[in-house]
Amino acid sequence: MPSKILFSACLAGFHVRYNGSNKPLFDSTLQRWQREGRLVVCCPELAAGFSTPRPSAEITAAAEGATVLAQQARVMEVSGGDVTDSYLLGAHLALETARRHGCRFALLTDGSPSCGSQFIYDGSFSGQTKPGSGVTAELLRQHGIEVFSEHQLDALIARVEAVEQV
């Protein structure tokens, strides 16, 4: 059975990012996977009820997705609103979606407090990044789903091909 991939809606071209934009990722393998019904498009933030556009949000300084999941850190909007519970809800809804569709992999947007898998913003709202994972990326990893960023597309393709050759 072909592997299914949870796929960030903004990478699929949907205008769902905090500022109403998208980050479309064009690749012939992704197009083929889409035709084959292997991509499961999801935006954890929209699933949790956020609107588009919405205030930008970052995980508080010196923390990342794992500390938010452990309830030792918060996700805050630039306006000062605490949106931690909504980010947790979005992560759990994304996990539920991945499980329901049998996703073994996820291709998510880096930098996001939800989907960042290699880096996130540092909590200062100054545009500075730091290594780390967002809430959704971390929860998916904790449940055995391999997470890749849009910058790791070649690695994801290689990993899917390796798994499917077994």
Side-chain angles (χ1 to χ4, degrees), residues 10-164:
C10 60
L11 296 178
F14 293 95
H15 294 264
V16 296
R17 297 184 72 225
Y18 76 96
N19 60 4
S21 69
N22 64 1
K23 291 179 76 172
L25 187 59
F26 298 105
D27 178 85
S28 60
T29 301
L30 287 176
Q31 291 173 342
R32 178 173 49 85
W33 286 348
Q34 181 64 36
R35 286 191 307 272
E36 295 169 355
R38 297 169 69 162
L39 299 181
V40 177
V41 177
C42 176
C43 175
E45 293 167 21
L46 287 189
F50 284 104
S51 62
T52 302
R54 58 190 167 274
S56 63
E58 296 183 8
I59 297 173
T60 52
E64 60 177 302
T67 48
V68 174
L69 289 168
Q71 299 184 356
Q72 297 172 344
R74 310 300 291 165
V75 183
M76 303 297 292
E77 291 178 328
V78 66
S79 59
D82 185 334
V83 289
T84 305
D85 290 342
S86 294
Y87 274 81
L88 290 168
L89 174 61
H92 285 279
L93 291 171
L95 175 61
E96 166 74 22
T97 298
R99 284 178 164 169
R100 187 172 59 248
H101 291 276
C103 296
R104 182 170 178 176
F105 304 99
L107 182 60
L108 306 178
T109 307
D110 230 354
S112 160
S114 287
C115 296
S117 63
Q118 294 186 301
F119 73 87
I120 56 175
Y121 288 90
D122 71 359
S124 68
F125 296 97
S126 63
Q128 298 298 310
T129 61
K130 63 181 182 181
S133 295
V135 181
T136 297
E138 182 62 30
L139 185 65
L140 293 173
R141 282 183 174 137
Q142 288 179 6
H143 287 86
I145 296 171
E146 296 180 47
V147 178
F148 296 81
S149 80
E150 73 270 28
H151 308 292
Q152 297 175 303
L153 180 57
D154 290 339
L156 170 63
I157 292 168
R159 182 71 180 116
V160 169
E161 289 173 354
V163 165
E164 292 180 354

